[in-house]
C-alpha cells in the first residue's frame, strides 16, 4: 500500500506534544445513542477473554470491539430479558447474563443464546430477576436473585441447587463475591452482609442500623471488605464484625447510592454514585467528587452512575443512566492536543518539529505555516504567510525544519528553502531550479553534519548547502531519488533513506557511496524506507513503509527485521529513541517498542 506525502504527515502529527490533562488524569470518550446504543442507561460492563467489551443496558445487550457497537438481540422464545443487570464469562466461553426475567446464557462462539432449563431437585426454576452471577474458584456459579435468594450451579456436574437456609434472613440478593481466602461475601437489598465459609459450610450474618439498603460488596487489594449502600461507603471490620462509615451522603440525611466500586491503584477507590464519580483514598480519607457538569470538559457527561469496570489495560469504563458509556484511557493523561490550548490556530495537518537551544518548539504544518511554542509559558506564535503580516515562511506548506543557532532552515513544498534569522527577523528564500547552484525539488529532509554542511533531501535527489559561501551542490552520484530522511553516525558516515531506492551510505574516508537496495531480511525485500535513527547505543534503526522496523548490524552489514507483531500498523513514519525504548509513529497510533525484549505497547484513539 502506498501512502501519499500528505497522508504521511497526518500520521506524523500523532506524535504532537505531550501535555498533562489537569482534571482526573485525562479526557473521556463517549458511546451513546449518537454512535451505536439504543438507550443511554448502562447497568453493567465487562470484558471477555478475547478482549471484547460487553455492555448491558435497560433495553438490551451490546458488544464493542474498539470500533463498532453491535447489538445482540434477545431470544424471545427462550424468554431472554432485555434489562441486563449482570454479565459473567465462564471457562467454556459462555456469558451468564442476569436479566429482569431471570438467567440467560450466551455462547460467545456463535453469539447465540442457549436454553437454561435447569431446575433444582425440588423442581424449582429460576423465575426471579437475577441481579448478579459470580463464578467462584471451585467452579460454582452463585446466582443472586430478587425474591428467590441464591441458586448454585455446578459447572462441572451441570446441576442446580438453591440455598434454603434460615441463616440468610433476606431473599433479595444484590451481589456476591469471593474473597482472597475463599470466603463468599453476600450483600442483600435490606442491608445485610453475609459471610459464607465453604470450609465449614457456615453462614455468618452482619448488620448495622445505619445500613438500610445494600448495593454491593467489594474487597480491596489489602483484603479490606467494603460495602456500598444507599447511605454511602462502609468499611467492615472482620475482627469485630462492626461497620464504620467512610463516605457519607453529601447532604445531611441525604442518599448516596454506591452501585459499583473499583480500585485502579492500591488504596484508591472509585465509587459510582448518583452524585457523580467519587475518588476515595483509604489511607488519607481524602475524597474528591468528579461531577458531570465539570468545566474541564471533556469530563463525565452524566452524574447518575451505575457501573464501573477496569479493563486489562486499566482503562476505566463508566456506565451511566443518561450518558451511555464514558471511557477513560489509562494513557489519556500522557497525550494532549495543542489545538485544545488555542482554538485560533486552525491547524489540521502537523508535519514536522524542531527544538531550539532554549528547549522551545518550532512546528511545521501543511496548511498553516509555522507555530512557535514557548513550553515554559505556553505562549504560541503563529507564522502563517496567508493570514498575517509576518511573511515568514515564504509558503505555508512546510515539510522540513532545521535549527542552526539563530537560523531556522525551512524546507517547503513548492516554496523552496527559507533561512530565517530568529534574532534579527531577516529572511532569505531560495527557489528550486535546474542550476547546479540550487536544489532539485520539493524539500522533505534537512540535516546539518559535523562539518557544518546542510544536507537537503528532496523528491528529486540529494543536495548540499554550504552556509559559509552560500552555495548549493547537487549529488549526481545518487541521481533522481526521493529522499525521506538523513542522519550521520559517530564515524561521520552519512545515511540517506529513500522511498523506492533503499538506503545510501556515504563513507567519509573514501568519499564513496554504497546503496543497500533492496534492504533484505528474512527473505523480505524492502525498498521504501521512511525514517532512520540511531539509539543511545548507536544502533541504526530503520522505519519502513510496510514491514515495521529493521536494525542494521555494522559488523555483518546486514539487516534484522522486526515486524511489530500484533501492532495495528506496520507503516512506520517516525522513530524517537528513549533509553531502552523506541517511540514509533504509524498510520494507526503510536507504538512503544522495547529494544531488549521486542515487546510493543500501542497507543491510539481507541
Amino acid at each position: 500500500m502506498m501512502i501519499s506525502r500528505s497522508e504521511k504527515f497526518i500520521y506524523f502529527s500523532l506524535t504532537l506534544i505531550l501535555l498533562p490533562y489537569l482534571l482526573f488524569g485525562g479526557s473521556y470518550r463517549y458511546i451513546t445513542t449518537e454512535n451505536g446504543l439504543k438507550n443511554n442507561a448502562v447497568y453493567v460492563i465487562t470484558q471477555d477473554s478475547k478482549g471484547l467489551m460487553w455492555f448491558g443496558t435497560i433495553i438490551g445487550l451490546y458488544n464493542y470491539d474498539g470500533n463498532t457497537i453491535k447489538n445482540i438481540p434477545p431470544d424471545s422464545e427462550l424468554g431472554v430479558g432485555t434489562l441486563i443487570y449482570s454479565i459473567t464469562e465462564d471457562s467454556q466461553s459462555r456469558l451468564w447474563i442476569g436479566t429482569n426475567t431471570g438467567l440467560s446464557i450466551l455462547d460467545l462462539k456463535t453469539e447465540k443464546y442457549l436454553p437454561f432449563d435447569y431446575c433444582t431437585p425440588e423442581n424449582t426454576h429460576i423465575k426471579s430477576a437475577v441481579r448478579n452471577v459470580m463464578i467462584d474458584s471451585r467452579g460454582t456459579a452463585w446466582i443472586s436473585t430478587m425474591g428467590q435468594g441464591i441458586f448454585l450451579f455446578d459447572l462441572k456436574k451441570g446441576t442446580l441447587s438453591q440455598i434454603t437456609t434460615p441463616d440468610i434472613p433476606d431473599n433479595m440478593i444484590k451481589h456476591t463475591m469471593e474473597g482472597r481466602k475463599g470466603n463468599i461475601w453476600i450483600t442483600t437489598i435490606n442491608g445485610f452482609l453475609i459471610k459464607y465459609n465453604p470450609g465449614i459450610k457456615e453462614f455468618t450474618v452482619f448488620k448495622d442500623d445505619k445500613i438500610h439498603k445494600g448495593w454491593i460488596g467489594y474487597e480491596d487489594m489489602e483484603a479490606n471488605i467494603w460495602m456500598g449502600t444507599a447511605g454511602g461507603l462502609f468499611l467492615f471490620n472482620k475482627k469485630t464484625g462492626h461497620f464504620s462509615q467512610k463516605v457519607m451522603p453529601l447532604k445531611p440525611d441525604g442518599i448516596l447510592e454506591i452501585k459499583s466500586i473499583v480500585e485502579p491503584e492500591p488504596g484508591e477507590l472509585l465509587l459510582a454514585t448518583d452524585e457523580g464519580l467519587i475518588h476515595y483514598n483509604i489511607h488519607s480519607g481524602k475524597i474528591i467528587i468528579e461531577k458531570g457538569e465539570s468545566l474541564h470538559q471533556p469530563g463525565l457527561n452524566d452524574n447518575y452512575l451505575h457501573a464501573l469496570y477496569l479493563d486489562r489495560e486499566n482503562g476505566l469504563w463508566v456506565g451511566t443512566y443518561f450518558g451511555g458509556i464514558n471511557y477513560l484511557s489509562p494513557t489519556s493523561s500522557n497525550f494532549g492536543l495543542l489545538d485544545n490550548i488555542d482554538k485560533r490556530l486552525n491547524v489540521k495537518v502537523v508535519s514536522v518539529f524542531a527544538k531550539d537551544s532554549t528547549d522551545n518548539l518550532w512546528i511545521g504544518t501543511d496548511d498553516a505555516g509555522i507555530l512557535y511554542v514557548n513550553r515554559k509559558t505556553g505562549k504560541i506564535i503563529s507564522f502563517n504567510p496567508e493570514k498575517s503580516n509576518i511573511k515568514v515562511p515564504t509558503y505555508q506548506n512546510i515539510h522540513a525544519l532545521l535549527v542552526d543557532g539563530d537560523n531556522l532552515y525551512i524546507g517547503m513544498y513548492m516554496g523552496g528553502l527559507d533561512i530565517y534569522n530568529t534574532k534579527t527577523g531577516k529572511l532569505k528564500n531560495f527557489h528550486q531550479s535546474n542550476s547546479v547552484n540550487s536544489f532539485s525539488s520539493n524539500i522533505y529532509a534537512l540535516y546539518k553534519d559535523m562539518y557544518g554542511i546542510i544536507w537537503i533531501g528532496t523528491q528529486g535527489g540529494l543536495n548540499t548547502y554550504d552556509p559559509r559561501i552560500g552555495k548549493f551542490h547537487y549529488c549526481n552520484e545518487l541521481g533522481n531519488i526521493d529522499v525521506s530522511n538523513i542522519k550521520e553516525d559517530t564515524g561521520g558516515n552519512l545515511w540517506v533513506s529513500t522511498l523506492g531506492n533503499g538506503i545510501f551510505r556515504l563513507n567519509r574516508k573514501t568519499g564513496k557511496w554504497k546503496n543497500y537496495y533492496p534492504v533484505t531480511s528474512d527473505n523480505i525485500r524492502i525498498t521504501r524506507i521512511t525514517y532512520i535513527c540511531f539509539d543511545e547505543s548507536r544502533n541504526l534503526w530503520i522505519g519502513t513503509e510496510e514491514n515495521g522496523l529493521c536494525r542494521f548490524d555494522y559488523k555483518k552489514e546486514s539487516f534484522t527485521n522486526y515486524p511489530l507483531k500484533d501492532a495495528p500498523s506496520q507503516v512506520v513514519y517516525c522513530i524517537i529513541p528513549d533509553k531502552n525504548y523506541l517511540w514509533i509513529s504509524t498510520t494507526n497510533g503510536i507504538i512503544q517498542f522495547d529494544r531488549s525484549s521486542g515487546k510493543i505497547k500501542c497507543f491510539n484513539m481507541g
Side-chain angles (χ1 to χ4, degrees):
M1 179 180 68
M2 293 183 62
I3 305 293
S4 70
R5 289 280 191 173
S6 61
E7 286 175 307
K8 168 181 175 179
F9 288 105
I10 290 173
Y11 300 123
F12 257 124
S13 68
L14 288 171
T15 62
L16 197 53
I17 295 179
L18 306 184
L19 294 169
Y21 184 77
L22 298 179
L23 191 54
F24 291 103
S27 55
Y28 288 90
R29 296 177 58 206
Y30 314 112
I31 301 174
T32 66
T33 53
E34 295 182 359
N35 52 8
L37 295 179
K38 294 182 180 179
N39 188 282
N40 281 332
V42 179
Y43 276 16
V44 61
I45 303 172
T46 194
Q47 185 177 32
D48 67 24
S49 56
K50 302 296 183 182
L52 201 64
M53 300 302 302
W54 291 86
F55 311 128
T57 75
I58 64 172
I59 60 170
L61 180 68
Y62 296 81
N63 64 35
Y64 178 61
D65 62 4
N67 294 303
T68 305
I69 282 283
K70 180 180 179 181
N71 177 235
I72 310 298
D75 189 326
S76 57
E77 294 183 3
L78 295 178
V80 176
T82 56
L83 199 165
I84 313 296
Y85 292 118
S86 174
I87 307 171
T88 305
E89 184 181 7
D90 66 17
S91 60
Q92 301 177 42
S93 297
R94 300 175 301 186
L95 292 184
W96 292 64
I97 303 170
T99 76
N100 59 314
T101 60
L103 180 66
S104 300
I105 308 293
L106 182 74
D107 188 329
L108 285 173
K109 298 176 182 178
T110 62
E111 291 192 353
K112 300 292 184 182
Y113 286 97
L114 305 174
F116 188 85
D117 50 8
Y118 295 90
C119 63
T120 70
E122 296 77 25
N123 201 35
T124 302
H125 292 263
I126 299 175
K127 298 180 179 180
S128 303
V130 172
R131 295 303 300 256
N132 178 250
V133 179
M134 183 273 294
I135 299 174
D136 68 19
S137 58
R138 294 171 289 275
T140 300
W142 291 68
I143 303 164
S144 304
T145 74
M146 297 298 287
Q148 292 180 282
I150 297 174
F151 287 85
L152 302 179
F153 185 84
D154 190 313
L155 273 71
K156 295 178 181 179
K157 297 179 181 179
T159 57
L160 182 70
S161 61
Q162 185 182 21
I163 297 178
T164 55
T165 173
D167 293 333
I168 299 181
D170 191 355
N171 64 2
M172 306 287 282
I173 311 300
K174 290 287 293 185
H175 185 260
T176 56
M177 68 172 182
E178 183 177 18
R180 282 172 170 74
K181 294 184 178 181
N183 294 322
I184 306 299
W185 296 87
I186 304 164
T187 306
T188 79
I189 191 68
N190 292 310
F192 291 95
L193 179 66
I194 304 166
K195 183 180 77 170
Y196 173 69
N197 187 325
I200 58 176
K201 298 183 179 180
E202 179 181 85
F203 291 91
T204 307
V205 180
F206 304 96
K207 186 71 169 70
D208 189 288
D209 292 339
K210 293 181 181 179
I211 300 175
H212 303 292
K213 186 176 182 181
W215 280 103
I216 189 169
Y218 184 78
E219 185 180 40
D220 67 25
M221 297 181 189
E222 298 178 11
N224 297 309
I225 300 297
W226 300 85
M227 191 171 176
T229 76
L233 181 69
F234 288 79
L235 173 63
F236 175 71
N237 189 314
K238 289 183 283 188
K239 293 182 179 180
T240 65
H242 295 153
F243 294 85
S244 55
Q245 191 172 16
K246 297 299 182 180
V247 179
M248 301 180 182
L250 305 185
K251 299 177 181 179
D253 300 323
I255 295 175
L256 183 66
E257 294 190 333
I258 297 177
K259 298 178 179 177
S260 186
I261 306 172
V262 295
E263 187 178 13
E265 296 180 4
E268 295 287 344
L269 299 184
L270 296 181
L271 315 175
T273 80
D274 51 357
E275 296 282 351
L277 184 64
I278 293 180
H279 301 236
Y280 174 68
N281 186 287
I282 67 174
H283 300 296
S284 67
K286 183 178 180 181
I287 297 173
I288 302 175
I289 302 174
E290 185 174 354
K291 288 280 193 176
E293 64 265 23
S294 169
L295 297 176
H296 298 275
Q297 293 294 327
L300 287 171
N301 66 358
D302 187 20
N303 284 326
Y304 296 91
L305 311 184
H306 276 279
L308 298 176
Y309 185 81
L310 294 173
D311 63 26
R312 295 175 192 170
E313 297 179 346
N314 215 36
L316 176 65
W317 300 79
V318 183
T320 76
Y321 195 81
F322 296 108
I325 297 154
N326 289 212
Y327 170 69
L328 184 63
S329 167
T331 59
S332 61
S333 62
N334 296 337
F335 301 92
L337 288 175
L338 183 62
D339 191 47
N340 284 350
I341 300 175
D342 192 337
K343 295 292 184 181
R344 297 169 299 173
L345 299 181
N346 195 28
V347 176
K348 295 180 180 178
V349 184
V350 173
S351 55
V352 66
F353 299 87
K355 185 170 67 173
D356 64 20
S357 59
T358 61
D359 211 33
N360 293 322
L361 291 178
W362 293 89
I363 304 174
T365 77
D366 261 32
D367 57 341
I370 295 173
L371 306 175
Y372 178 72
V373 182
N374 186 313
R375 296 208 283 184
K376 293 181 180 179
T377 66
K379 184 178 180 180
I380 303 169
I381 300 175
S382 173
F383 294 82
N384 188 340
E386 300 294 322
K387 296 184 179 181
S388 71
N389 295 325
I390 305 175
K391 297 305 178 183
V392 177
T394 302
Y395 188 56
Q396 65 179 0
N397 195 335
I398 314 300
H399 283 189
L401 291 173
L402 170 67
V403 176
D404 181 24
D406 292 332
N407 287 326
L408 176 66
Y409 287 77
I410 306 168
M412 294 165 283
Y413 183 87
M414 301 297 292
L417 176 70
D418 279 350
I419 303 177
Y420 172 63
N421 189 294
T422 59
K423 192 173 184 179
T424 65
K426 292 183 179 180
L427 175 72
K428 291 182 181 179
N429 175 254
F430 301 91
H431 289 285
Q432 65 189 60
S433 73
N434 295 324
S435 169
V436 293
N437 290 321
S438 184
F439 51 93
S440 49
S441 186
N442 299 315
I443 298 172
Y444 280 93
L446 291 168
Y447 184 82
K448 180 184 178 182
D449 68 17
M450 62 175 62
Y451 302 101
I453 300 299
I454 307 298
W455 293 81
I456 305 168
T458 77
Q459 283 184 304
L462 183 66
N463 309 260
T464 63
Y465 174 72
D466 190 334
R468 293 167 294 188
I469 60 176
K471 294 291 185 180
F472 291 89
H473 173 73
Y474 180 72
C475 300
N476 290 292
E477 303 96 323
L478 275 61
N480 187 19
I481 59 173
D482 190 350
V483 178
S484 58
N485 200 232
I486 307 167
K487 289 290 188 299
E488 187 177 30
D489 64 24
T490 54
N493 300 308
L494 198 76
W495 293 81
V496 179
S497 64
T498 74
L499 297 177
N501 296 91
I503 299 175
F504 291 84
R505 181 177 71 171
L506 173 63
N507 187 317
R508 286 296 179 83
K509 295 180 180 179
T510 64
K512 294 183 178 180
W513 289 92
K514 180 174 181 177
N515 184 204
Y516 297 90
Y517 175 81
V519 171
T520 57
S521 173
D522 301 324
N523 297 320
I524 299 174
R525 294 167 55 87
I526 302 169
T527 62
R528 298 180 67 81
I529 312 299
T530 54
Y531 201 82
I532 51 179
C533 81
F534 293 94
D535 63 25
E536 294 179 357
S537 300
R538 303 312 297 167
N539 295 308
L540 175 62
W541 292 89
I542 298 160
T544 76
E545 194 168 79
E546 294 181 340
N547 300 100
L549 284 177
C550 287
R551 182 169 61 85
F552 179 71
D553 188 315
Y554 273 86
K555 293 181 179 179
K556 298 179 181 179
E557 289 217 356
S558 63
F559 298 88
T560 301
N561 182 238
Y562 295 83
L564 301 178
K565 187 178 180 181
D566 299 326
S569 173
Q570 295 292 317
V571 184
V572 174
Y573 284 128
C574 186
I575 310 169
I576 299 176
D578 177 28
K579 298 179 181 179
N580 195 46
Y581 298 102
L582 299 178
W583 290 89
I584 303 164
S585 69
T586 76
T587 55
N588 192 358
I590 298 172
I591 295 172
Q592 182 194 60
F593 175 80
D594 190 316
R595 294 194 286 118
S596 299
S597 65
K599 294 182 179 180
I600 65 171
K601 187 174 183 180
C602 302
F603 303 87
N604 53 35
M605 294 297 290

